[in-house]
């Protein structure tokens, strides 16, 4: 029986909290050896006092004093962006779970791969931005990339290692978000609090807004293509309001395999950590007889342009996925700051993509530059 020693990046967030819950449920299979957060020293200290990881990282150094004084033991403490790399490469740990919102997890993830550690990735942004770089480096190093995102974890379970020519399509399910049935003209007036009411999942703010615009699904289309090395043309989306079927794979023989469970991120997190084994837990099992309906419908592509934009970016490749991701992050922040209306998010992303000259086979510096330029483009457009 294998016990994973895990470094958890993004420990104070929604995925981080669920990961801690999983670690506390299966202590014989999972030990948290390190935890990192950006600035929430209080929550980091409180969790660390329970789990006693040997190292912590708080990226914002101004909170280090508060962290130290709240701790009841003496772990190694790193700070700053370099500190994230230090903790991601901590000797003795064998799996790094990346659950940082946005793209700040990219460099620590690459550093962990270079040290031969397996990665469990929740941060879809880094696979969208630099999926080819991450996957190529992991292949060269012979390390595993285990998907935590529920859709990709579902596909990973359905595929069981089957590749390319046997796959007809990867079918990502989407709840449709809070505006699934809202007439298109009303999208202009939706508020931040409307957009933050996700019908089936409780998540961080950025991903919740992305679920309302369907950019979350768009990012996941690119993520799926990169993770499973499947062309964008074989990545489909279907709306499934109950969020019980987490995704499906259609094979060339016409069979569709699906993975189902309640909407709780502890399921995919646990499977990523214990893979290839399955172990019991205290999560609520799905009782099929109690589910009255499983519904599926076509997305409203015209009302929610994020899916077309993501398909365009994913098919073009180069730096365009990074531009889509960066422009979206900036636009979502502007919406959360009450500076733009909801449909402006799509418009800003489209404009940033149209403004970008694409590059074939970019290296990491090209990608980071395109990311910065797209952010700058959106900021200028809003100035
Ligand atoms: P949250 O906003 O809840 O948490 C983000 C975490 O990242 C916090 O621990 C935060 O620290 C940390 N963080 C933020 N910025 C930095 C930085 N620059 N450097 C280091 N740490 C940082 O996000 P979620 O947990 O919702 O999402 C995390 C990732 O997982 C995202 O990429 C999301 O798309 C993906 N995901 C989330 C799902 C969910 O159910 N929530 C489902 C599938 C994927 P602090 O608290 O100190 O600010």
């Amino acid at each position: 029986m294998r016990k994973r020693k895990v470094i958890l990046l993004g420990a104070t967030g929604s995925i981080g909290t669920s990961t801690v819950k999983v670690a506390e449920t299966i202590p014989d299979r999972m030990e948290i050896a390190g935890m990192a957060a950006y600035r929430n020293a209080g929550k980091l200290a409180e969790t660390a006092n329970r789990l006693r990881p040997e190292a912590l990282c708080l990226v914002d150094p101004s909170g280090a004093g508060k962290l130290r004084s709240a701790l009841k033991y003496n772990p190694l403490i790193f700070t700053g962006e370099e500190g994230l790399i230090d903790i991601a490469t901590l000797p003795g740990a064998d799996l790094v779970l990346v659950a940082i919102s946005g793209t700040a997890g990219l460099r620590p993830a690459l550093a962990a791969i270079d040290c031969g550690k397996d990665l469990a990735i929740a941060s879809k942004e880094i696979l969208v931005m630099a999926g080819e770089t991450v996957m190529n480096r992991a292949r060269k190093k012979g390390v595993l990339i285990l998907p935590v995102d529920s859709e990709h974890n579902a596909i990973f379970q359905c595929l069981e290692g089957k590749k390319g020519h046997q796959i007809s399509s990867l079918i990502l399910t989407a709840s449709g978000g809070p505006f699934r049935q809202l007439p298109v003209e009303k999208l202009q007036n939706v508020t931040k609090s409307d957009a933050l009411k996700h019908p089936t999942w409780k998540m961080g703010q950025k991903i919740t807004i992305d679920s309302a615009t369907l950019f979350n699904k768009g990012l996941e289309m690119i993520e799926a293509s990169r993770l499973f090395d499947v062309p964008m043309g074989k990545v489909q989306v279907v709306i499934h309001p109950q969020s019980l079927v987490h995704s499906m794979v259609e094979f060339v023989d016409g069979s569709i395999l699906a993975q189902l469970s309640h909407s709780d991120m502890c399921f995919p997190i646990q499977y990523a950590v214990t893979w290839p084994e399955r172990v019991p837990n205290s999560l609520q099992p799905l009782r099929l007889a109690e589910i009255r309906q499983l519904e599926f419908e076509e997305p409203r592509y015209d009302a929610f342009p994020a899916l077309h934009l993501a398909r365009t970016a994913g098919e073009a490749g180069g730096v365009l996925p990074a531009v889509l991701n960066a422009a979206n992050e900036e636009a979502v922040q502007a919406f959360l700051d009450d500076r733009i209306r909801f449909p402006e998010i799509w418009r800003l992303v489209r404009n940033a993509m149209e403004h970008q000259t694409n590059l074939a086979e970019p290296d990491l510096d090209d990608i980071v530059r395109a990311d910065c330029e797209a952010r700058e483009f959106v900021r200028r457009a809003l100035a």
Side-chain angles (χ1 to χ4, degrees), residues 10-16 36-40 59 84 99-102 104 122-125 149-150 201-205 207 265:
T12 49
S14 164
I15 293 284
Y38 184 58
R39 60 161 76 95
N40 192 343
V59 174
L84 268 186
I100 291 176
S101 50
S123 304
K124 59 194 84 193
E125 295 91 341
D149 211 349
S150 59
W201 290 96
K202 197 173 175 318
M203 308 179 284
Q205 287 205 339
I207 184 172
M265 286 306 295

PDB file of all heavy atoms in Angstrom, residues 10-16 36-40 59 84 99-102 104 122-125 149-150 201-205 207 265, ligand 1:
ATOM      1  N   GLY A  10      -1.655  26.264  -2.700  1.00  0.00           N
ATOM      2  CA  GLY A  10      -3.026  26.807  -2.714  1.00  0.00           C
ATOM      3  C   GLY A  10      -3.829  26.196  -1.582  1.00  0.00           C
ATOM      4  O   GLY A  10      -5.039  25.936  -1.714  1.00  0.00           O
ATOM      5  N   ALA A  11      -3.157  25.977  -0.435  1.00  0.00           N
ATOM      6  CA  ALA A  11      -3.744  25.207   0.666  1.00  0.00           C
ATOM      7  C   ALA A  11      -4.937  25.896   1.316  1.00  0.00           C
ATOM      8  O   ALA A  11      -5.776  25.229   1.928  1.00  0.00           O
ATOM      9  CB  ALA A  11      -2.672  24.936   1.726  1.00  0.00           C
ATOM     10  N   THR A  12      -5.026  27.228   1.205  1.00  0.00           N
ATOM     11  CA  THR A  12      -6.097  27.945   1.912  1.00  0.00           C
ATOM     12  C   THR A  12      -7.342  28.155   1.052  1.00  0.00           C
ATOM     13  O   THR A  12      -8.325  28.735   1.516  1.00  0.00           O
ATOM     14  CB  THR A  12      -5.572  29.325   2.363  1.00  0.00           C
ATOM     15  OG1 THR A  12      -4.942  29.940   1.230  1.00  0.00           O
ATOM     16  CG2 THR A  12      -4.567  29.194   3.484  1.00  0.00           C
ATOM     17  N   GLY A  13      -7.306  27.712  -0.197  1.00  0.00           N
ATOM     18  CA  GLY A  13      -8.437  27.935  -1.104  1.00  0.00           C
ATOM     19  C   GLY A  13      -9.471  26.822  -1.010  1.00  0.00           C
ATOM     20  O   GLY A  13      -9.423  25.960  -0.115  1.00  0.00           O
ATOM     21  N   SER A  14     -10.396  26.860  -1.947  1.00  0.00           N
ATOM     22  CA  SER A  14     -11.489  25.890  -1.973  1.00  0.00           C
ATOM     23  C   SER A  14     -10.951  24.465  -2.229  1.00  0.00           C
ATOM     24  O   SER A  14     -11.262  23.530  -1.477  1.00  0.00           O
ATOM     25  CB  SER A  14     -12.469  26.358  -3.052  1.00  0.00           C
ATOM     26  OG  SER A  14     -13.346  25.365  -3.411  1.00  0.00           O
ATOM     27  N   ILE A  15     -10.128  24.306  -3.259  1.00  0.00           N
ATOM     28  CA  ILE A  15      -9.548  22.979  -3.526  1.00  0.00           C
ATOM     29  C   ILE A  15      -8.593  22.588  -2.393  1.00  0.00           C
ATOM     30  O   ILE A  15      -8.561  21.432  -1.956  1.00  0.00           O
ATOM     31  CB  ILE A  15      -8.766  22.993  -4.866  1.00  0.00           C
ATOM     32  CG1 ILE A  15      -9.731  23.180  -6.033  1.00  0.00           C
ATOM     33  CG2 ILE A  15      -7.938  21.730  -5.043  1.00  0.00           C
ATOM     34  CD1 ILE A  15     -10.521  21.977  -6.421  1.00  0.00           C
ATOM     35  N   GLY A  16      -7.822  23.560  -1.910  1.00  0.00           N
ATOM     36  CA  GLY A  16      -6.881  23.282  -0.816  1.00  0.00           C
ATOM     37  C   GLY A  16      -7.625  22.736   0.399  1.00  0.00           C
ATOM     38  O   GLY A  16      -7.207  21.744   1.016  1.00  0.00           O
ATOM     39  N   ALA A  36       1.350  25.661   0.879  1.00  0.00           N
ATOM     40  CA  ALA A  36       1.646  27.042   0.495  1.00  0.00           C
ATOM     41  C   ALA A  36       0.361  27.820   0.276  1.00  0.00           C
ATOM     42  O   ALA A  36      -0.642  27.268  -0.173  1.00  0.00           O
ATOM     43  CB  ALA A  36       2.472  27.053  -0.790  1.00  0.00           C
ATOM     44  N   ALA A  37       0.420  29.111   0.584  1.00  0.00           N
ATOM     45  CA  ALA A  37      -0.703  30.026   0.313  1.00  0.00           C
ATOM     46  C   ALA A  37      -0.121  31.365  -0.121  1.00  0.00           C
ATOM     47  O   ALA A  37       1.110  31.560  -0.086  1.00  0.00           O
ATOM     48  CB  ALA A  37      -1.564  30.189   1.555  1.00  0.00           C
ATOM     49  N   TYR A  38      -0.991  32.265  -0.493  1.00  0.00           N
ATOM     50  CA  TYR A  38      -0.497  33.573  -0.937  1.00  0.00           C
ATOM     51  C   TYR A  38      -0.341  34.521   0.255  1.00  0.00           C
ATOM     52  O   TYR A  38       0.750  34.962   0.567  1.00  0.00           O
ATOM     53  CB  TYR A  38      -1.461  34.152  -1.980  1.00  0.00           C
ATOM     54  CG  TYR A  38      -0.979  35.449  -2.549  1.00  0.00           C
ATOM     55  CD1 TYR A  38       0.258  35.520  -3.181  1.00  0.00           C
ATOM     56  CD2 TYR A  38      -1.742  36.603  -2.458  1.00  0.00           C
ATOM     57  CE1 TYR A  38       0.719  36.716  -3.699  1.00  0.00           C
ATOM     58  CE2 TYR A  38      -1.297  37.797  -2.977  1.00  0.00           C
ATOM     59  CZ  TYR A  38      -0.066  37.851  -3.592  1.00  0.00           C
ATOM     60  OH  TYR A  38       0.385  39.037  -4.105  1.00  0.00           O
ATOM     61  N   ARG A  39      -1.451  34.803   0.950  1.00  0.00           N
ATOM     62  CA  ARG A  39      -1.332  35.743   2.063  1.00  0.00           C
ATOM     63  C   ARG A  39      -2.180  35.382   3.288  1.00  0.00           C
ATOM     64  O   ARG A  39      -2.104  36.068   4.300  1.00  0.00           O
ATOM     65  CB  ARG A  39      -1.710  37.156   1.620  1.00  0.00           C
ATOM     66  CG  ARG A  39      -3.126  37.330   1.102  1.00  0.00           C
ATOM     67  CD  ARG A  39      -3.497  38.790   1.152  1.00  0.00           C
ATOM     68  NE  ARG A  39      -2.860  39.539   0.082  1.00  0.00           N
ATOM     69  CZ  ARG A  39      -3.427  39.821  -1.098  1.00  0.00           C
ATOM     70  NH1 ARG A  39      -4.642  39.390  -1.346  1.00  0.00           N
ATOM     71  NH2 ARG A  39      -2.805  40.520  -2.007  1.00  0.00           N
ATOM     72  N   ASN A  40      -2.958  34.313   3.207  1.00  0.00           N
ATOM     73  CA  ASN A  40      -3.852  33.988   4.317  1.00  0.00           C
ATOM     74  C   ASN A  40      -3.096  33.235   5.420  1.00  0.00           C
ATOM     75  O   ASN A  40      -3.206  32.009   5.575  1.00  0.00           O
ATOM     76  CB  ASN A  40      -5.038  33.165   3.798  1.00  0.00           C
ATOM     77  CG  ASN A  40      -6.146  33.035   4.826  1.00  0.00           C
ATOM     78  OD1 ASN A  40      -5.916  33.278   6.017  1.00  0.00           O
ATOM     79  ND2 ASN A  40      -7.332  32.654   4.382  1.00  0.00           N
ATOM     80  N   VAL A  59       3.552  33.296   0.240  1.00  0.00           N
ATOM     81  CA  VAL A  59       4.201  34.066  -0.836  1.00  0.00           C
ATOM     82  C   VAL A  59       4.366  35.532  -0.424  1.00  0.00           C
ATOM     83  O   VAL A  59       5.419  36.128  -0.647  1.00  0.00           O
ATOM     84  CB  VAL A  59       3.395  33.936  -2.153  1.00  0.00           C
ATOM     85  CG1 VAL A  59       3.963  34.844  -3.227  1.00  0.00           C
ATOM     86  CG2 VAL A  59       3.412  32.483  -2.625  1.00  0.00           C
ATOM     87  N   LEU A  84       7.882  29.444  -3.271  1.00  0.00           N
ATOM     88  CA  LEU A  84       6.966  28.458  -3.878  1.00  0.00           C
ATOM     89  C   LEU A  84       7.766  27.367  -4.597  1.00  0.00           C
ATOM     90  O   LEU A  84       7.398  26.192  -4.574  1.00  0.00           O
ATOM     91  CB  LEU A  84       6.078  29.140  -4.924  1.00  0.00           C
ATOM     92  CG  LEU A  84       4.724  29.692  -4.525  1.00  0.00           C
ATOM     93  CD1 LEU A  84       3.987  30.170  -5.764  1.00  0.00           C
ATOM     94  CD2 LEU A  84       3.875  28.664  -3.787  1.00  0.00           C
ATOM     95  N   ALA A  99      -2.999  23.810  -6.695  1.00  0.00           N
ATOM     96  CA  ALA A  99      -4.374  24.344  -6.587  1.00  0.00           C
ATOM     97  C   ALA A  99      -4.339  25.848  -6.354  1.00  0.00           C
ATOM     98  O   ALA A  99      -5.138  26.392  -5.605  1.00  0.00           O
ATOM     99  CB  ALA A  99      -5.118  23.636  -5.457  1.00  0.00           C
ATOM    100  N   ILE A 100      -3.387  26.507  -7.042  1.00  0.00           N
ATOM    101  CA  ILE A 100      -3.287  27.965  -6.968  1.00  0.00           C
ATOM    102  C   ILE A 100      -4.191  28.534  -8.053  1.00  0.00           C
ATOM    103  O   ILE A 100      -4.169  28.046  -9.189  1.00  0.00           O
ATOM    104  CB  ILE A 100      -1.820  28.396  -7.213  1.00  0.00           C
ATOM    105  CG1 ILE A 100      -0.955  27.955  -6.029  1.00  0.00           C
ATOM    106  CG2 ILE A 100      -1.716  29.894  -7.460  1.00  0.00           C
ATOM    107  CD1 ILE A 100       0.520  28.252  -6.208  1.00  0.00           C
ATOM    108  N   SER A 101      -4.974  29.551  -7.720  1.00  0.00           N
ATOM    109  CA  SER A 101      -5.811  30.137  -8.771  1.00  0.00           C
ATOM    110  C   SER A 101      -4.920  30.962  -9.704  1.00  0.00           C
ATOM    111  O   SER A 101      -3.938  31.561  -9.267  1.00  0.00           O
ATOM    112  CB  SER A 101      -6.895  31.012  -8.138  1.00  0.00           C
ATOM    113  OG  SER A 101      -6.304  31.899  -7.223  1.00  0.00           O
ATOM    114  N   GLY A 102      -5.245  30.957 -10.989  1.00  0.00           N
ATOM    115  CA  GLY A 102      -4.436  31.708 -11.949  1.00  0.00           C
ATOM    116  C   GLY A 102      -3.202  30.942 -12.389  1.00  0.00           C
ATOM    117  O   GLY A 102      -3.154  29.713 -12.318  1.00  0.00           O
ATOM    118  N   ALA A 104       0.122  31.461 -11.345  1.00  0.00           N
ATOM    119  CA  ALA A 104       1.322  31.508 -10.496  1.00  0.00           C
ATOM    120  C   ALA A 104       1.867  30.122 -10.167  1.00  0.00           C
ATOM    121  O   ALA A 104       3.001  29.987  -9.696  1.00  0.00           O
ATOM    122  CB  ALA A 104       1.010  32.264  -9.206  1.00  0.00           C
ATOM    123  N   ALA A 122      -4.935  20.905 -10.337  1.00  0.00           N
ATOM    124  CA  ALA A 122      -6.286  21.497 -10.343  1.00  0.00           C
ATOM    125  C   ALA A 122      -6.273  22.786 -11.155  1.00  0.00           C
ATOM    126  O   ALA A 122      -7.263  23.139 -11.776  1.00  0.00           O
ATOM    127  CB  ALA A 122      -6.738  21.794  -8.919  1.00  0.00           C
ATOM    128  N   SER A 123      -5.144  23.485 -11.138  1.00  0.00           N
ATOM    129  CA  SER A 123      -5.028  24.805 -11.783  1.00  0.00           C
ATOM    130  C   SER A 123      -5.063  24.678 -13.295  1.00  0.00           C
ATOM    131  O   SER A 123      -4.030  24.557 -13.948  1.00  0.00           O
ATOM    132  CB  SER A 123      -3.721  25.486 -11.374  1.00  0.00           C
ATOM    133  OG  SER A 123      -3.627  25.579  -9.993  1.00  0.00           O
ATOM    134  N   LYS A 124      -6.274  24.752 -13.846  1.00  0.00           N
ATOM    135  CA  LYS A 124      -6.420  24.535 -15.294  1.00  0.00           C
ATOM    136  C   LYS A 124      -5.690  25.594 -16.091  1.00  0.00           C
ATOM    137  O   LYS A 124      -5.245  25.350 -17.198  1.00  0.00           O
ATOM    138  CB  LYS A 124      -7.893  24.486 -15.670  1.00  0.00           C
ATOM    139  CG  LYS A 124      -8.673  25.715 -15.339  1.00  0.00           C
ATOM    140  CD  LYS A 124     -10.164  25.450 -15.441  1.00  0.00           C
ATOM    141  CE  LYS A 124     -10.696  24.836 -14.158  1.00  0.00           C
ATOM    142  NZ  LYS A 124     -11.998  24.270 -14.216  1.00  0.00           N
ATOM    143  N   GLU A 125      -5.552  26.802 -15.495  1.00  0.00           N
ATOM    144  CA  GLU A 125      -4.935  27.908 -16.233  1.00  0.00           C
ATOM    145  C   GLU A 125      -3.530  27.542 -16.704  1.00  0.00           C
ATOM    146  O   GLU A 125      -3.106  27.967 -17.776  1.00  0.00           O
ATOM    147  CB  GLU A 125      -4.870  29.163 -15.354  1.00  0.00           C
ATOM    148  CG  GLU A 125      -6.237  29.732 -14.966  1.00  0.00           C
ATOM    149  CD  GLU A 125      -6.779  29.174 -13.652  1.00  0.00           C
ATOM    150  OE1 GLU A 125      -6.300  28.100 -13.206  1.00  0.00           O
ATOM    151  OE2 GLU A 125      -7.687  29.789 -13.069  1.00  0.00           O
ATOM    152  N   ASP A 149      -9.167  18.443 -11.750  1.00  0.00           N
ATOM    153  CA  ASP A 149     -10.402  19.055 -12.238  1.00  0.00           C
ATOM    154  C   ASP A 149     -11.413  17.916 -12.446  1.00  0.00           C
ATOM    155  O   ASP A 149     -11.069  16.883 -13.042  1.00  0.00           O
ATOM    156  CB  ASP A 149     -10.082  19.746 -13.572  1.00  0.00           C
ATOM    157  CG  ASP A 149     -10.941  20.967 -13.796  1.00  0.00           C
ATOM    158  OD1 ASP A 149     -11.903  21.152 -13.041  1.00  0.00           O
ATOM    159  OD2 ASP A 149     -10.655  21.726 -14.743  1.00  0.00           O
ATOM    160  N   SER A 150     -12.650  18.069 -11.979  1.00  0.00           N
ATOM    161  CA  SER A 150     -13.552  16.913 -11.921  1.00  0.00           C
ATOM    162  C   SER A 150     -13.820  16.317 -13.312  1.00  0.00           C
ATOM    163  O   SER A 150     -13.872  15.088 -13.459  1.00  0.00           O
ATOM    164  CB  SER A 150     -14.863  17.296 -11.249  1.00  0.00           C
ATOM    165  OG  SER A 150     -15.481  18.332 -11.958  1.00  0.00           O
ATOM    166  N   TRP A 201     -22.064  23.780  -7.714  1.00  0.00           N
ATOM    167  CA  TRP A 201     -20.740  23.653  -7.083  1.00  0.00           C
ATOM    168  C   TRP A 201     -20.455  24.872  -6.209  1.00  0.00           C
ATOM    169  O   TRP A 201     -20.821  25.989  -6.567  1.00  0.00           O
ATOM    170  CB  TRP A 201     -19.632  23.585  -8.134  1.00  0.00           C
ATOM    171  CG  TRP A 201     -19.572  22.342  -8.961  1.00  0.00           C
ATOM    172  CD1 TRP A 201     -20.120  22.158 -10.188  1.00  0.00           C
ATOM    173  CD2 TRP A 201     -18.885  21.121  -8.649  1.00  0.00           C
ATOM    174  NE1 TRP A 201     -19.814  20.905 -10.656  1.00  0.00           N
ATOM    175  CE2 TRP A 201     -19.063  20.240  -9.746  1.00  0.00           C
ATOM    176  CE3 TRP A 201     -18.124  20.677  -7.557  1.00  0.00           C
ATOM    177  CZ2 TRP A 201     -18.517  18.957  -9.777  1.00  0.00           C
ATOM    178  CZ3 TRP A 201     -17.576  19.401  -7.594  1.00  0.00           C
ATOM    179  CH2 TRP A 201     -17.790  18.554  -8.690  1.00  0.00           C
ATOM    180  N   LYS A 202     -19.709  24.647  -5.110  1.00  0.00           N
ATOM    181  CA  LYS A 202     -19.250  25.761  -4.284  1.00  0.00           C
ATOM    182  C   LYS A 202     -17.742  25.906  -4.530  1.00  0.00           C
ATOM    183  O   LYS A 202     -16.972  24.988  -4.228  1.00  0.00           O
ATOM    184  CB  LYS A 202     -19.530  25.433  -2.807  1.00  0.00           C
ATOM    185  CG  LYS A 202     -19.489  26.632  -1.930  1.00  0.00           C
ATOM    186  CD  LYS A 202     -19.946  26.299  -0.519  1.00  0.00           C
ATOM    187  CE  LYS A 202     -19.785  27.505   0.402  1.00  0.00           C
ATOM    188  NZ  LYS A 202     -18.549  28.240   0.229  1.00  0.00           N
ATOM    189  N   MET A 203     -17.321  27.034  -5.127  1.00  0.00           N
ATOM    190  CA  MET A 203     -15.920  27.151  -5.555  1.00  0.00           C
ATOM    191  C   MET A 203     -15.409  28.561  -5.280  1.00  0.00           C
ATOM    192  O   MET A 203     -16.155  29.429  -4.848  1.00  0.00           O
ATOM    193  CB  MET A 203     -15.820  26.872  -7.065  1.00  0.00           C
ATOM    194  CG  MET A 203     -16.473  25.580  -7.495  1.00  0.00           C
ATOM    195  SD  MET A 203     -16.361  25.301  -9.262  1.00  0.00           S
ATOM    196  CE  MET A 203     -17.576  26.419  -9.908  1.00  0.00           C
ATOM    197  N   GLY A 204     -14.122  28.803  -5.601  1.00  0.00           N
ATOM    198  CA  GLY A 204     -13.560  30.150  -5.491  1.00  0.00           C
ATOM    199  C   GLY A 204     -14.256  31.103  -6.474  1.00  0.00           C
ATOM    200  O   GLY A 204     -14.930  30.668  -7.407  1.00  0.00           O
ATOM    201  N   GLN A 205     -14.056  32.424  -6.261  1.00  0.00           N
ATOM    202  CA  GLN A 205     -14.783  33.436  -7.054  1.00  0.00           C
ATOM    203  C   GLN A 205     -14.450  33.399  -8.546  1.00  0.00           C
ATOM    204  O   GLN A 205     -15.343  33.479  -9.384  1.00  0.00           O
ATOM    205  CB  GLN A 205     -14.441  34.834  -6.527  1.00  0.00           C
ATOM    206  CG  GLN A 205     -15.074  35.152  -5.205  1.00  0.00           C
ATOM    207  CD  GLN A 205     -15.228  36.651  -5.004  1.00  0.00           C
ATOM    208  OE1 GLN A 205     -14.552  37.448  -5.646  1.00  0.00           O
ATOM    209  NE2 GLN A 205     -16.104  37.033  -4.109  1.00  0.00           N
ATOM    210  N   ILE A 207     -13.309  31.029 -10.588  1.00  0.00           N
ATOM    211  CA  ILE A 207     -13.855  29.883 -11.336  1.00  0.00           C
ATOM    212  C   ILE A 207     -15.388  29.946 -11.356  1.00  0.00           C
ATOM    213  O   ILE A 207     -16.021  29.499 -12.316  1.00  0.00           O
ATOM    214  CB  ILE A 207     -13.309  28.540 -10.791  1.00  0.00           C
ATOM    215  CG1 ILE A 207     -13.798  27.383 -11.643  1.00  0.00           C
ATOM    216  CG2 ILE A 207     -13.624  28.313  -9.359  1.00  0.00           C
ATOM    217  CD1 ILE A 207     -13.157  26.040 -11.311  1.00  0.00           C
ATOM    218  N   MET A 265     -15.518  17.974  -4.696  1.00  0.00           N
ATOM    219  CA  MET A 265     -14.168  17.848  -5.246  1.00  0.00           C
ATOM    220  C   MET A 265     -13.312  16.824  -4.496  1.00  0.00           C
ATOM    221  O   MET A 265     -12.251  16.435  -4.964  1.00  0.00           O
ATOM    222  CB  MET A 265     -13.480  19.223  -5.269  1.00  0.00           C
ATOM    223  CG  MET A 265     -13.987  20.156  -6.343  1.00  0.00           C
ATOM    224  SD  MET A 265     -13.923  19.440  -8.027  1.00  0.00           S
ATOM    225  CE  MET A 265     -12.165  19.256  -8.272  1.00  0.00           C
TER     226      MET A 265
HETATM  227  P1  LIG B   1      -9.430  29.843  -4.411  1.00  0.00           P
HETATM  228  O1  LIG B   1      -9.512  31.245  -4.865  1.00  0.00           O
HETATM  229  O2  LIG B   1     -10.456  29.319  -3.467  1.00  0.00           O
HETATM  230  O3  LIG B   1      -7.977  29.576  -3.733  1.00  0.00           O
HETATM  231  C1  LIG B   1      -6.803  29.969  -4.364  1.00  0.00           C
HETATM  232  C2  LIG B   1      -5.595  29.490  -3.577  1.00  0.00           C
HETATM  233  O4  LIG B   1      -4.409  29.900  -4.278  1.00  0.00           O
HETATM  234  C3  LIG B   1      -5.492  30.094  -2.187  1.00  0.00           C
HETATM  235  O5  LIG B   1      -4.831  29.184  -1.346  1.00  0.00           O
HETATM  236  C4  LIG B   1      -4.600  31.327  -2.420  1.00  0.00           C
HETATM  237  O6  LIG B   1      -3.911  31.752  -1.250  1.00  0.00           O
HETATM  238  C5  LIG B   1      -3.620  30.744  -3.432  1.00  0.00           C
HETATM  239  N1  LIG B   1      -2.998  31.749  -4.293  1.00  0.00           N
HETATM  240  C6  LIG B   1      -3.606  32.703  -5.020  1.00  0.00           C
HETATM  241  N2  LIG B   1      -2.687  33.439  -5.710  1.00  0.00           N
HETATM  242  C7  LIG B   1      -1.481  32.908  -5.395  1.00  0.00           C
HETATM  243  C8  LIG B   1      -0.151  33.217  -5.765  1.00  0.00           C
HETATM  244  N3  LIG B   1       0.141  34.232  -6.610  1.00  0.00           N
HETATM  245  N4  LIG B   1       0.835  32.453  -5.261  1.00  0.00           N
HETATM  246  C9  LIG B   1       0.570  31.444  -4.399  1.00  0.00           C
HETATM  247  N5  LIG B   1      -0.665  31.109  -4.004  1.00  0.00           N
HETATM  248  C10 LIG B   1      -1.689  31.830  -4.495  1.00  0.00           C
HETATM  249  O7  LIG B   1      -9.367  28.967  -5.740  1.00  0.00           O
HETATM  250  P2  LIG B   1      -9.958  27.499  -5.984  1.00  0.00           P
HETATM  251  O8  LIG B   1      -9.498  26.573  -4.911  1.00  0.00           O
HETATM  252  O9  LIG B   1     -11.391  27.595  -6.308  1.00  0.00           O
HETATM  253  O10 LIG B   1      -9.242  27.117  -7.358  1.00  0.00           O
HETATM  254  C11 LIG B   1      -7.856  26.810  -7.418  1.00  0.00           C
HETATM  255  C12 LIG B   1      -7.550  26.273  -8.815  1.00  0.00           C
HETATM  256  O11 LIG B   1      -8.253  25.040  -9.002  1.00  0.00           O
HETATM  257  C13 LIG B   1      -8.016  27.196  -9.937  1.00  0.00           C
HETATM  258  O12 LIG B   1      -7.108  27.130 -10.990  1.00  0.00           O
HETATM  259  C14 LIG B   1      -9.347  26.609 -10.383  1.00  0.00           C
HETATM  260  O13 LIG B   1      -9.620  26.874 -11.734  1.00  0.00           O
HETATM  261  C15 LIG B   1      -9.089  25.115 -10.160  1.00  0.00           C
HETATM  262  N6  LIG B   1     -10.300  24.335  -9.893  1.00  0.00           N
HETATM  263  C16 LIG B   1     -11.116  24.660  -8.832  1.00  0.00           C
HETATM  264  C17 LIG B   1     -12.256  23.925  -8.570  1.00  0.00           C
HETATM  265  C18 LIG B   1     -13.116  24.220  -7.387  1.00  0.00           C
HETATM  266  O14 LIG B   1     -14.057  23.441  -7.133  1.00  0.00           O
HETATM  267  N7  LIG B   1     -12.871  25.245  -6.626  1.00  0.00           N
HETATM  268  C19 LIG B   1     -12.660  22.816  -9.461  1.00  0.00           C
HETATM  269  C20 LIG B   1     -11.690  22.523 -10.480  1.00  0.00           C
HETATM  270  C21 LIG B   1     -10.563  23.269 -10.701  1.00  0.00           C
HETATM  271  P3  LIG B   1      -4.581  32.881  -0.257  1.00  0.00           P
HETATM  272  O15 LIG B   1      -5.817  32.223   0.325  1.00  0.00           O
HETATM  273  O16 LIG B   1      -3.521  33.119   0.750  1.00  0.00           O
HETATM  274  O17 LIG B   1      -4.896  34.070  -1.120  1.00  0.00           O
END
